[in-house]
Amino acid sequence: MRFSKRGAHVPHHKNTADMTPIRMDVPSQLLIPVSMHIGRPATPVVKPGDHVDVGTLICESSGPVSSPIYSAVSGTVKKLDNIRVSNGSFCQAVLIESDGQQTVDANIKPPVVTDYASFIEAVKNSGIVGLGGAGFPTAVKLDVKDTSRIQELVINAAECEPYITSDTRTMIDDAQDVVDAVKLFEQYLNVKKVLIGIEANKPEAIKKMQECFKDDSAVTVVTLPSVYPQGAEKVIIKNTTGKVVPAGKLPIDVGCVVCNVTTMASIARYIKTGMPLVEKYVTIDGSAIKKPGNYIIPVGMLISEIMERLEINPDEVGKVLYGGPMMGISVPELDSAPVLKNTNAITFMSEKDAVSPEATQCIHCGRCAENCPMHLTTFAIARAYAKNDAEELRRLRVDICCECGTCSFVCPANRPLVEVNKLSKGVVRDLIAKEKAKEAEKK
C-alpha cells in the first residue's frame, strides 16, 4: 500500500483561529449518552434522584475497550432515557438537571502516577478518548505493554478540516499542557522522539510549539502542506516519519503512536488536577453563522441550548454537523443532540450549502483515484458496489478507505463516492461473516 501527499485543496475557512475560547455559562441540563467512544457503551452507576457534582462518575467503563463518563455539572439525575444518535440507532443517556452551583466532587484529586502501569490506569480513569474526532479510548491506544516498541510519538495537530480551530487554540492557549504531556510520555512511555505535525496554515501555532520545545532535542515541529486529509492517522505518519503502515496493521506495528494534540493536553491537565474530561474546546462556525467563535462547553450540553445562547436562528440553518463539512456527522434531532467527548466543532450550514448538488453520470476522469490519499481506485469500487460484487470490493481494498470524503469533493459529476465506499465496507463485512460461518460449520 502506497501513500503520498495527495488529497484535496479544500477551503480553509479558519475564521476563528485568532479567537480565544470563551467559557459558556452553566447549562440548565445535560444529556449524556453512555456511548461517546469507540467500543462498548459505558454502564450507568447513577439512578433518578441521585445528586452529582462536577467530576462525579456517572457511567463506568464496561470492558477493555470502553471509557468512564463524568458529570460536567452539579445537580440531580432526572432520568435515564433513550435517544436517537447520528447513525440512526438508539442509545441510553443520563439526563442531569443542573443546580447552577458547579460544586466540585469531593473525591477529585490528582492521581498518583509513579510508573507506566499507573500512568495507563490514570489515563483510563480520566475518561479521555481521541478528541480529534475519532473517539477511541486513549488508554487502550497507549497500552502497548512493551514501550521499547515505540520509536516515534506523532502528535496530530494538523487540523485539516475546514472551519475547525479548537486544536489550534489548544496549542496557543494551553501550550504548557502540551509541554507537560510530552514530558509525561517521555517519562512513562519511554518516548525518545516526538514529531508534532501542524499544517502550514497555522503559523501562530507552529511558532508557539517551536518556542515551547526549543530546548527539547527529542521534539521536532513538522510543518505540513495544507492538503486535506493531512490529519488522517496513516497519512500523518507517512508525512512526518516517512513510514507506511501496511494494510491491516496498526501504527505501533511500525513503531509509532499517534495522539491528537488536544488529547495530549487533556491528559496533562488530568494528571495535574484530577479533574476528568467534562468539558471541551468547541469551534462554532459554518456558512449559517454570523458570529463564529471558540467556546469551552460542558460535555452533554444540548446543541439546542447552545443555539439559544448564541442567538442562532434555526430557520436560517439547513444542516448541523458534529465536526467539519468533510467528515462531519449530521445531527438528527437538535433537542436531544448534546456535545460529546469527541465533539471538536459544531458546524452550522446554510440551507443552500446543506443541499447536495445533483449527481450526474461518471465521466471517467479518474480524479477520485488521482487524489485519494490511500491510492484507492474509487471509480472501480463504485462499479463493483453497483454490481454487489463483494469479492471485487475486497480485492479493491475498500476496507482501508479512511472516509475522508476527498473523492466526493473532487468529483466533477458530484457522485456520492464516500457514501458508496462506506456501504461497500458493509458488503465486505457481510462476506467475511458468511465465510466465517461456513468455516465454523465445518468444524
Side-chain angles (χ1 to χ4, degrees):
M1 183 171 59
R2 300 173 297 147
F3 288 86
S4 73
K5 295 178 182 177
R6 299 193 310 175
H9 292 276
V10 300
H12 297 157
H13 294 313
K14 302 295 187 179
N15 310 312
T16 58
D18 297 329
M19 298 182 182
T20 301
I22 300 170
R23 186 173 297 279
M24 196 160 281
D25 290 341
V26 180
S28 60
Q29 61 180 0
L30 297 181
L31 186 63
I32 304 178
V34 300
S35 183
M36 293 189 283
H37 51 267
I38 293 173
R40 294 185 62 180
T43 302
V45 294
V46 292
K47 61 184 184 301
D50 285 354
H51 177 83
V52 296
D53 290 321
V54 179
T56 296
L57 178 71
I58 58 174
C59 299
E60 63 184 8
S61 59
S62 58
V65 184
S66 187
S67 182
I69 301 171
Y70 302 85
S71 177
V73 299
S74 56
T76 304
V77 176
K78 301 303 291 183
K79 63 178 178 178
L80 303 182
D81 203 358
N82 283 319
I83 62 172
R84 187 187 299 275
V85 293
S86 293
N87 65 4
S89 64
F90 285 88
C91 173
Q92 191 175 33
V94 180
L95 180 66
I96 301 173
E97 185 177 86
S98 171
D99 61 15
Q101 300 301 308
Q102 289 304 88
T103 306
V104 175
D105 192 297
N107 295 315
I108 295 296
K109 59 183 178 180
V112 177
V113 178
T114 57
D115 55 15
Y116 168 76
S118 57
F119 176 70
I120 296 298
E121 185 66 16
V123 175
K124 178 181 178 181
N125 293 336
S126 71
I128 294 171
V129 300
L131 302 183
F136 190 79
T138 303
V140 179
K141 175 184 285 192
L142 301 183
D143 192 5
V144 297
K145 309 301 183 188
D146 180 6
T147 58
S148 66
R149 296 177 67 194
I150 304 174
Q151 298 168 14
E152 294 103 356
L153 166 65
V154 178
I155 300 180
N156 191 341
E159 200 166 49
C160 55
E161 273 263 13
Y163 294 112
I164 307 176
T165 65
S166 49
D167 282 349
T168 298
R169 295 316 308 181
T170 291
M171 288 183 279
I172 295 170
D173 302 320
D174 297 336
Q176 188 57 52
D177 288 332
V178 179
V179 172
D180 293 341
V182 169
K183 291 178 180 177
L184 288 168
F185 277 57
E186 290 174 334
Q187 180 176 0
Y188 296 117
L189 267 70
N190 199 31
V191 170
K192 298 292 192 300
K193 185 176 183 180
V194 181
L195 300 163
I196 307 176
I198 311 174
E199 279 196 327
N201 62 359
K202 304 169 185 64
E204 188 177 355
I206 292 170
K207 181 180 178 181
K208 188 72 173 182
M209 290 294 95
Q210 288 174 335
E211 290 176 351
C212 288
F213 292 102
K214 63 183 179 181
D215 296 325
D216 190 337
S217 60
V219 180
T220 302
V221 178
V222 182
T223 300
L224 301 168
S226 299
V227 179
Y228 179 86
Q230 193 64 256
E233 186 174 65
K234 293 184 179 181
V235 174
I236 200 168
I237 289 174
K238 173 63 171 65
N239 294 339
T240 54
T241 71
K243 296 180 177 180
V244 173
V245 181
K249 298 294 183 179
L250 298 173
I252 192 60
D253 293 317
V254 295
C256 294
V257 168
V258 182
C259 202
N260 167 265
V261 69
T262 299
T263 304
M264 295 282 295
S266 299
I267 291 171
R269 281 197 293 273
Y270 175 72
I271 298 297
K272 289 185 284 188
T273 68
M275 179 58 70
L277 180 67
V278 295
E279 61 184 19
K280 287 295 309 294
Y281 279 7
V282 181
T283 299
I284 306 292
D285 204 348
S287 57
I289 296 293
K290 295 182 176 66
K291 296 180 180 180
N294 285 304
Y295 297 88
I296 303 172
I297 303 179
V299 172
M301 185 173 183
L302 290 169
I303 292 178
S304 56
E305 187 167 356
I306 293 172
M307 293 175 69
E308 290 177 9
R309 299 283 181 86
L310 300 180
E311 299 180 345
I312 299 172
N313 186 351
D315 295 334
E316 297 176 358
V317 178
K319 181 179 288 186
V320 182
L321 301 172
Y322 283 121
M326 295 298 291
M327 293 187 71
I329 303 298
S330 182
V331 175
E333 299 169 4
L334 296 178
D335 289 337
S336 60
V339 167
L340 308 173
K341 284 185 179 184
N342 60 337
T343 302
N344 55 0
I346 303 172
T347 304
F348 293 86
M349 309 304 294
S350 66
E351 192 69 45
K352 176 184 175 182
D353 291 339
V355 178
S356 299
E358 183 178 354
T360 58
Q361 288 297 318
C362 173
I363 62 173
H364 309 290
C365 65
R367 292 183 190 177
C368 54
E370 290 172 1
N371 290 277
C372 175
M374 310 301 286
H375 286 252
L376 296 174
T377 50
T378 315
F379 58 87
I381 290 171
R383 283 202 301 263
Y385 176 74
K387 297 176 182 179
N388 196 32
D389 190 339
E391 288 286 4
E392 179 67 359
L393 289 170
R394 177 160 60 181
R395 187 188 70 79
L396 292 169
R397 294 313 310 262
V398 69
D399 59 301
I400 68 171
C401 170
C402 62
E403 302 178 11
C404 65
T406 296
C407 52
S408 296
F409 181 82
V410 301
C411 178
N414 302 314
R415 308 289 295 172
L417 297 173
V418 68
E419 287 86 352
V420 169
N421 282 7
K422 291 178 181 180
L423 293 169
S424 297
K425 287 182 177 183
V427 174
V428 174
R429 284 195 296 269
D430 289 344
L431 172 64
I432 294 172
K434 290 177 182 177
E435 290 176 343
K436 288 182 177 179
K438 287 182 179 179
E439 286 297 321
E441 289 176 0
K442 293 178 182 178
K443 295 180 180 179

